[in-house]
Amino acid sequence: MKPLLLLAVPVLISGLATFDRPDAVRPIEVPEETDAERIDRKVRELLNLIGAESLMQDSTEQMADAFREIPGLPEGFLDKFLEMVDYQELLDLTIPIYVENLDEATIDATIAFAKTEHAKKLYAAQPAIVQESTAIGMQWGQELAARVLAELDD
């Protein structure tokens, strides 16, 4: 054990001797984030703040309800469809749309707003607003179609 300790002491001393030499100590190089990576990260933060995944889940439930109405849908289709849903994949597909349509300053401002209490209330109410608006829009469309058909019959 003593010979091993005797070997370790010079190694430690030589290591300490180089510690005060700036050329001997190299900081760990962390690659800088590219502009694209920074904007991607910000859009992900924004989507997280606005509850995008929750909205996607609600949308998927509505899609599943629509699938249930399709006659002749293969047995097991809906279960397999829901099993294969990957919200991360959908988020990854959505991010380029935000990047293409919003500049970084707008993304930053939206993130700042999304962190406010008013925004949190808006985002919490959004699923109900979307659901009710969709129902009203469908009803309106059916009524308009009926009026159009009635005028064409005249």
Side-chain angles (χ1 to χ4, degrees), residues 76-87:
F77 172 84
L78 188 55
D79 291 335
K80 192 64 171 175
F81 177 86
L82 293 172
E83 176 188 316
M84 293 179 69
V85 168
D86 180 353
Y87 295 111

Side-chain angles (χ1 to χ4, degrees), residues 96-109:
I97 298 167
Y98 281 80
V99 171
E100 181 179 319
N101 290 286
L102 301 173
D103 59 43
E104 189 171 7
T106 302
I107 294 168
D108 290 340

Side-chain angles (χ1 to χ4, degrees), residues 37-63:
E37 290 169 335
R38 184 183 65 255
I39 293 170
D40 181 272
R41 177 182 47 77
K42 288 180 178 187
V43 170
R44 286 179 190 282
E45 178 183 2
L46 174 60
L47 292 175
N48 182 52
L49 287 167
I50 66 174
E53 187 169 330
S54 177
L55 293 171
M56 289 175 179
Q57 290 169 349
D58 292 344
S59 179
T60 301
E61 289 173 22
Q62 291 174 355
M63 200 180 322

Side-chain angles (χ1 to χ4, degrees), residues 128-144:
I129 292 169
V130 169
Q131 185 176 18
E132 291 176 40
S133 298
T134 301
I136 287 173
M138 290 175 71
Q139 180 181 351
W140 173 82
Q142 291 170 350
E143 291 171 2
L144 178 60

